Amino acid sequence: MEQLIRSFSRGTLFAATVLVAGMIVGSPTNGACTDHLDTSILAPLPDLRTPDQVGWIERLRNRRLVQTKIRAAKVEARLKAIEQKGRATVNRPAQDPSTAAAVVESQAGSSPAITGAAPQTIDGKALKPFNRGSKFYQDGFLVFRGKAGLRGR
């Protein structure tokens, strides 16, 4: 093979040197050589390709991007629901005790005064306890308690 000898001019060598130096150093950051057109306000151009021109790798990537967006939206909705549930509080005004409808005291701790007399029904017959835990209080005292052996029907 014969050797090929090429000669380049000084201008060509200078241009190549400047090009290589620019690639190594990078573009200027002060904006001196940038366009005066703000491209951030422009809408992206539509994809005018037909479906058969889109490759399977790009379809796969697009599907993954959509699934990622859907997962992120679901997570965000879950977090928002948890936050709203935690934020839901009811601030009621303070109640005045004098306007209360009734003051109820528990009779469960009162001393038993079981007399054996069962409460009566309207007919005057003795009221049968419906279960073993039934209790009848009269004047703040336990008057009647269901028998432990009885079971409700």
Side-chain angles (χ1 to χ4, degrees):
M1 249 169 108
E2 64 185 58
Q3 228 175 6
L4 185 65
I5 299 174
R6 293 189 181 182
S7 61
F8 296 101
S9 67
R10 273 189 237 151
T12 305
L13 291 175
F14 179 74
T17 306
V18 169
L19 181 66
V20 170
M23 290 171 54
I24 292 173
V25 172
S27 63
T29 57
N30 60 1
C33 297
T34 59
D35 293 334
H36 296 291
L37 180 64
D38 187 11
T39 58
S40 64
I41 60 172
L42 297 176
L45 294 174
D47 189 11
L48 300 177
R49 296 178 295 172
T50 60
D52 60 329
Q53 291 174 332
V54 178
W56 67 272
I57 293 176
E58 191 172 354
R59 277 192 231 115
L60 183 65
R61 182 179 57 88
N62 291 341
R63 188 178 312 132
R64 285 186 181 163
L65 287 175
V66 169
Q67 288 173 351
T68 304
K69 287 180 184 178
I70 289 172
R71 277 191 220 109
K74 285 182 179 179
V75 167
E76 184 179 341
R78 253 187 249 127
L79 291 175
K80 193 172 185 180
I82 290 171
E83 180 184 337
Q84 284 181 350
K85 185 185 274 187
R87 229 182 322 133
T89 57
V90 178
N91 296 328
R92 294 189 176 124
Q95 293 183 348
D96 186 13
S98 64
T99 60
V103 178
V104 179
E105 295 179 6
S106 174
Q107 296 178 347
S110 62
S111 60
I114 299 175
T115 59
Q120 295 181 353
T121 60
I122 298 172
D123 301 344
K125 297 178 182 176
L127 181 66
K128 294 181 181 179
F130 58 89
N131 62 11
R132 59 182 145 190
S134 62
K135 299 174 184 175
F136 177 68
Y137 290 94
Q138 188 175 26
D139 298 328
F141 295 103
L142 180 63
V143 176
F144 180 74
R145 183 183 304 173
K147 295 182 181 176
L150 294 177
R151 291 187 176 161
R153 295 182 186 172

